[in-house]
Amino acid sequence: MENTAAEAPDPIAVIANRTKRFLHVLIEPRSYLNAFYLLTAFPLGLTYFLVLTAGMISGAFLSIIAIGLLVLLATLVAAWGFALFERELVIGLLGVKVPPLSLPDPELVSPWRMLLRHLRQPATWRSLVYLLLKLPFGIFATLLSGVLVGAPLFGIIYPLVKINIDGLSPQALGNFIFPGMFAVAALALSMHVLNALGRAWGRFAADMLGVGEEQRQVWEARRRAEAADRSRRELIMNVSHELRTPVASIQAHVDSLLLPEVDRPDAEESERRLRVTAAETRRLADLIEDLLMLARADSHELKVTNRAIELAPIIEQVGLALAPLARAERQVTLSVEDVPDDLWAVGDADRLTQVLTNLVRNAINYTPEGGVVSVRLGAGSPEHVQLAVSDTGPGISAADLEHIFERFYRADSSRARNTGGFGLGLSIARELLEAMGGTLSATSQPGLGSTFWISLRRTQKPV
């Protein structure tokens, strides 16, 4: 019995909490924006109605001459302008997300074709109906707002005026209780009613003033198809540029080694050419891997299986695999910080290994001889684990830093030709990390190096 009594909510606290929530509407800016929109609905609706009906009637009467068509056209343009203005009001005052009135179409350049497209859009005629309906709604909304807000405001102002006139008399102080306190409650109730009306009208406006969901889906599908087509064209151009160089280099060096013995380079030169051929072969493999990654990404085959993974073995594996490569090819030191054995995160072990390998290889490629590439833990947070891949390379400029995660973007195209890659690795690495629920970002200081930050959700070792 004692536990039941202890767990029962305090009636006074419950009433206080509900009263607080009820009165909170009085300090919400959105309540007053809604009320302002509803109070101005009538004058705006009247303006729309008069302009549009006058234009349509006069245009219809004058349609026997050319000027009538011009009047109708001007009326249509005015209606479009009113609709754009009304859409901004609904977004700004009612706080409703309204789709655009039209979707961009870069192929339309002729004003005549733009006008025809405008006339064929259902949103054009829906917005015209909306503007004409704004008058009857405005009459109702403005009258209702005036009554609901005006009476409580009078009840609030009245006690203040009485004190100013009569001084601090008992009767004047009593006016703060009635009608004062009742007026405050009535104003809060009025605001709740007006907010509900504003939300209802806002939903109606979103349906009438914006393009339909089906049209948006068609446009989005078309936009994605155009983006994919541009991506394919860029890929073809990049392939033609990037594959030509390593293939030509490999062919030239191999041909020189197949010359007759009298024309063949000496042993030292032959060894140098073999090393160049091996390096170009690895670069060619990197380019082909980029292409395969792009194909898998575009076919949605870059799938991840998220589960609890231990980070220490993954980081150690990447360090052991790439440290000899860094020393042999670039004379770069790869430093891997010891990671606690009990550090777990949510992700895909294979994909995280792939991302880390990509970031470390990029860092090695862009670090000059004698430089250092490090993999370490970042500051992180109680909810996230942070890994950092840093280098002592030339760094990335602020302008390039904004675009390095875009496909086919490379901060230094001349240097990229020597290191391989289409500029796909970073964009795909970010896609993989986002699929794991993590993030990938970068910071850099030109001349001092760059750091790429991996953030993953922290978790506990599975039982």
Side-chain angles (χ1 to χ4, degrees):
M1 295 294 293
E2 292 180 359
N3 291 336
T4 304
E7 293 174 0
D10 185 1
I12 298 178
V14 172
I15 294 174
N17 188 38
R18 291 180 178 176
T19 303
K20 181 180 178 181
R21 290 202 304 268
F22 176 74
L23 295 177
H24 188 264
V25 71
L26 296 176
I27 61 173
E28 291 178 353
R30 178 64 59 196
S31 300
Y32 297 95
L33 293 175
N34 286 345
F36 178 75
Y37 177 87
L38 297 174
L39 284 169
T40 58
F42 171 67
L44 285 175
L46 181 62
T47 302
Y48 302 154
F49 185 83
L50 291 178
V51 172
L52 296 179
T53 54
M56 288 186 289
I57 293 173
S58 58
F61 275 113
L62 297 174
S63 60
I64 55 175
I65 56 179
I67 192 172
L69 297 178
L70 294 177
V71 171
L72 290 175
L73 180 61
T75 304
L76 187 63
V77 173
W80 188 256
F82 287 152
L84 290 173
F85 175 70
E86 185 66 23
R87 177 178 177 271
E88 294 302 319
L89 283 181
V90 171
I91 294 173
L93 297 182
L94 298 183
V96 176
K97 293 182 179 180
V98 183
L101 274 165
S102 63
L103 297 170
D105 190 347
E107 295 180 2
L108 294 176
V109 292
S110 167
W112 175 247
R113 292 182 63 190
M114 291 180 66
L115 176 62
L116 291 178
R117 175 176 175 265
H118 179 59
L119 292 175
R120 288 196 298 266
Q121 286 189 143
T124 300
W125 306 107
R126 287 202 308 268
S127 63
L128 182 60
V129 173
Y130 171 90
L131 294 173
L132 295 176
L133 290 176
K134 183 69 181 286
L135 177 59
F137 170 77
I139 296 173
F140 169 74
T142 301
L143 287 176
L144 181 65
S145 303
V147 172
L148 291 180
V149 175
L153 284 180
F154 176 79
I156 294 172
I157 296 172
Y158 177 76
L160 299 176
V161 174
K162 290 295 290 182
I163 284 182
N164 187 51
I165 296 175
D166 301 337
L168 293 174
S169 64
Q171 182 179 1
L173 293 175
N175 289 331
F176 277 101
I177 299 175
F178 182 82
M181 292 180 61
F182 289 92
V184 170
L187 181 60
L189 179 60
S190 299
M191 287 299 186
H192 282 290
V193 173
L194 296 182
N195 284 345
L197 179 61
R199 286 192 297 269
W201 182 256
R203 287 193 293 268
F204 175 71
D207 292 335
M208 299 294 285
L209 294 178
V211 295
E213 181 64 26
E214 181 179 350
Q215 187 178 356
R216 288 201 300 273
Q217 290 176 355
V218 171
W219 178 84
E220 184 63 27
R222 179 181 177 185
R223 185 191 64 81
R224 285 197 298 267
E226 292 175 350
D229 185 58
R230 285 195 302 270
S231 178
R232 283 191 293 270
R233 289 198 298 267
E234 290 176 0
L235 178 60
I236 292 172
M237 289 187 293
N238 277 277
V239 167
S240 63
H241 280 287
E242 303 301 335
L243 295 184
R244 182 185 305 157
T245 302
V247 169
S249 178
I250 292 171
Q251 181 179 355
H253 286 88
V254 171
D255 287 346
S256 69
L257 297 174
L258 294 175
L259 290 171
E261 188 173 351
V262 293
D263 298 324
R264 193 178 303 165
D266 57 31
E268 183 179 351
E269 178 63 17
S270 295
E271 184 179 353
R272 187 192 69 81
R273 296 191 181 189
L274 283 173
R275 285 198 299 269
V276 172
T277 301
E280 290 293 340
T281 303
R282 284 191 294 270
R283 180 182 165 213
L284 188 60
D286 290 340
L287 294 174
I288 293 173
E289 180 62 24
D290 272 359
L291 291 174
L292 293 174
M293 290 289 290
L294 176 64
R296 286 195 290 265
D298 286 342
S299 61
H300 305 289
E301 293 182 4
L302 283 179
K303 298 178 182 179
V304 299
T305 303
N306 289 331
R307 60 182 183 276
I309 57 174
E310 189 175 8
L311 298 181
I314 296 173
I315 297 172
E316 182 180 358
Q317 175 188 345
V318 172
L320 291 174
L322 297 182
L325 177 69
R327 286 192 301 268
E329 290 191 359
R330 305 287 301 174
Q331 288 76 53
V332 169
T333 300
L334 175 58
S335 171
V336 179
E337 179 184 277
D338 289 335
V339 176
D341 292 336
D342 59 346
L343 188 61
W344 292 74
V346 176
D348 185 311
D350 293 336
R351 296 305 189 188
L352 181 58
T353 301
Q354 178 183 336
V355 169
L356 270 175
T357 301
N358 180 276
L359 294 178
V360 173
R361 285 182 66 91
N362 280 351
I364 293 171
N365 288 336
Y366 283 92
T367 299
E369 292 184 5
V372 177
V373 173
S374 64
V375 181
R376 56 185 171 82
L377 282 177
S381 69
E383 295 81 22
H384 292 87
V385 178
Q386 193 175 61
L387 301 176
V389 178
S390 303
D391 62 59
T392 56
I396 305 170
S397 68
D400 289 326
L401 200 61
E402 297 179 0
H403 304 284
I404 58 172
F405 294 107
E406 297 175 6
R407 287 188 175 186
F408 302 109
Y409 187 86
R410 294 176 304 186
D412 186 348
S413 59
S414 61
R415 179 68 183 274
R417 285 208 170 87
N418 295 326
T419 57
F422 291 117
L424 293 170
L426 291 178
S427 67
I428 293 175
R430 172 176 272 189
E431 290 178 20
L432 288 173
L433 283 170
E434 288 177 350
M436 297 182 215
T439 60
L440 176 62
S441 59
T443 57
S444 183
Q445 191 169 352
L448 298 179
S450 308
T451 300
F452 287 83
W453 303 92
I454 295 174
S455 179
L456 292 170
R457 289 174 292 168
R458 190 186 296 267
T459 189
Q460 299 297 322
K461 179 179 179 179
V463 179

